[in-house]
């Protein structure tokens, strides 16, 4: 990996981790959007890196908080997400083989829709949703996780509507995302699609993410949490459009 590409990748990782710490979401979406726009590494390799970062984050979080996992909701959501993870990964391989532009269109649309959905404040429910609803949202998350390691938005929206303690929601989501990320890495290895040797310089993003997380807690920006969330939504929305629109125009353009 060229030094300039590595520098850009680490800057994207730092910004993604900083934003994630302040808003509670979006590390994977920002990473994938930034990589898609900059082209510093292939999108398929970026998804592998995001999976690794998700697992690293989960180890830190769950080392103390695993007892807060809401297992009755965790089980159906996880089971459905794992069932559909392979579908998402298969779709990624099909699009990567067919056209990079189609891959950018789908990633851009996923980011745009996710930014809109995450900008909506979930209306709290008075009673807990049934297992089928957790399985349904888990299935959608599984497809998104298989595609780009971005399983978060559907489950974040659904879990934060439930009458659960915030700590239970956070730990449950972190556990689901980590297990999905680990299984996705197994799929990549099993398919013989492990990134090339140059990719491993990207693991320097791990200490960068740890440092950026500390910096966000120690030196937050002079913005309210609501303002910071709005900035994150806007950046995600614009990055999604910037990925999807040029690719759509290229795909629909007639022969010159």
């Amino acid at each position: 990996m060229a030094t300039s590409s590595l520098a850009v990748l680490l800057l994207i990782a730092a910004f993604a981790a900083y934003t994630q710490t302040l808003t509670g979401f979006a590390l994977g979406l920002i990473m994938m959007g930034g990589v898609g726009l900059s082209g510093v590494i292939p999108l398929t390799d970026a998804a592998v890196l995001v999976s690794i970062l998700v697992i690293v984050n989960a180890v830190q979080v769950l080392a103390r908080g695993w007892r807060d996992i809401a297992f009755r909701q965790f089980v159906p959501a996880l089971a459905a997400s794992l069932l559909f993870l392979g579908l998402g990964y298969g779709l990624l391989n099909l699009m990567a083989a067919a056209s990079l532009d189609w891959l950018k269109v789908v990633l851009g649309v996923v980011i745009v829709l996710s930014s809109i959905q995450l900008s909506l404040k979930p209306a709290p429910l008075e009673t807990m949703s049934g297992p089928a609803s957790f399985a349904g949202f888990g299935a959608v998350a599984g497809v998104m996780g298989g595609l780009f390691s971005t399983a978060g938005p559907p489950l974040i929206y659904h879990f934060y509507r439930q009458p659960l303690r915030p700590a239970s929601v956070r730990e449950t989501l972190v556990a689901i995302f980590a297990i999905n990320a680990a299984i996705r890495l197994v799929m990549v290895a099993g398919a013989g699609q492990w990134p090339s040797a140059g990719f491993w310089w990207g693991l320097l993003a791990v200490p960068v993410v740890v440092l950026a997380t500390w910096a966000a807690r120690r030196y937050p920006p002079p913005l309210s949490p609501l303002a910071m969330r709005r900035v994150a939504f806007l950046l995600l929305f614009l990055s999604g459009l910037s990925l999807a629109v040029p690719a759509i125009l290229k795909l629909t353009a007639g022969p010159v």
Side-chain angles (χ1 to χ4, degrees), residues 3-86:
T3 303
S4 58
S5 296
L6 178 61
V8 172
L9 180 65
L10 297 183
L11 284 174
I12 294 170
F15 178 72
Y18 190 87
T19 305
Q20 164 94 1
T21 304
L22 295 171
T23 63
F25 66 89
L27 186 148
L29 291 171
I30 291 176
M31 281 290 294
M32 293 302 296
V35 168
L37 289 172
S38 63
V40 289
I41 58 175
L43 289 174
T44 50
D45 289 359
V48 172
L49 180 58
V50 168
S51 294
I52 294 171
L53 295 179
V54 166
I55 294 171
V56 170
N57 174 258
V59 170
Q60 293 176 301
V61 172
L62 295 175
R64 295 182 178 179
W66 66 269
R67 293 178 182 85
D68 289 316
I69 294 173
F71 284 99
R72 287 187 178 181
Q73 292 71 43
F74 167 82
V75 171
L78 176 65
S81 67
L82 293 179
L83 284 174
F84 283 83
L85 188 70

Side-chain angles (χ1 to χ4, degrees), residues 6-236:
L6 178 61
V8 172
L9 180 65
L10 297 183
L11 284 174
I12 294 170
F15 178 72
Y18 190 87
T19 305
Q20 164 94 1
T21 304
L22 295 171
T23 63
F25 66 89
L27 186 148
L29 291 171
I30 291 176
M31 281 290 294
M32 293 302 296
V35 168
L37 289 172
S38 63
V40 289
I41 58 175
L43 289 174
T44 50
D45 289 359
V48 172
L49 180 58
V50 168
S51 294
I52 294 171
L53 295 179
V54 166
I55 294 171
V56 170
N57 174 258
V59 170
Q60 293 176 301
V61 172
L62 295 175
R64 295 182 178 179
W66 66 269
R67 293 178 182 85
D68 289 316
I69 294 173
F71 284 99
R72 287 187 178 181
Q73 292 71 43
F74 167 82
V75 171
L78 176 65
S81 67
L82 293 179
L83 284 174
F84 283 83
L85 188 70
L87 174 61
Y89 185 64
L91 290 173
L92 172 67
N93 288 328
L94 285 175
M95 288 185 291
S99 169
L100 178 61
D101 290 313
W102 274 113
L103 202 57
K104 289 183 176 181
V105 169
V106 174
L107 176 58
V109 170
V110 166
I111 292 174
V112 167
L113 293 179
S114 297
S115 69
I116 294 173
Q117 186 232 309
L118 289 169
S119 69
L120 303 174
K121 186 177 181 179
L125 299 173
E126 294 183 1
T127 58
M128 190 74 66
S129 298
S133 69
F134 285 97
F137 279 88
V140 177
V143 174
M144 291 177 61
L147 276 167
F148 303 116
S149 286
T150 53
L155 287 177
I156 289 171
Y157 179 81
H158 192 54
F159 267 89
Y160 272 103
R161 299 184 67 198
Q162 308 301 320
L164 290 166
R165 293 182 301 110
S168 290
V169 172
R170 182 178 63 250
E171 309 301 333
T172 304
L173 289 173
V174 167
I176 293 172
F177 299 155
I179 294 172
N180 271 269
I183 298 301
R184 192 184 188 283
L185 290 177
V186 171
M187 289 181 176
V188 172
Q193 296 173 333
W194 210 241
S196 60
F199 161 83
W200 298 107
W201 284 104
L203 291 184
L204 289 173
V206 172
V208 167
V209 164
V210 173
L211 181 62
T213 299
W214 171 84
R217 292 171 177 163
R218 182 68 177 82
Y219 304 106
L223 295 173
S224 69
L226 178 60
M228 189 65 203
R229 286 172 69 89
R230 286 175 175 170
V231 170
F233 296 144
L234 180 60
L235 290 175
L236 283 173

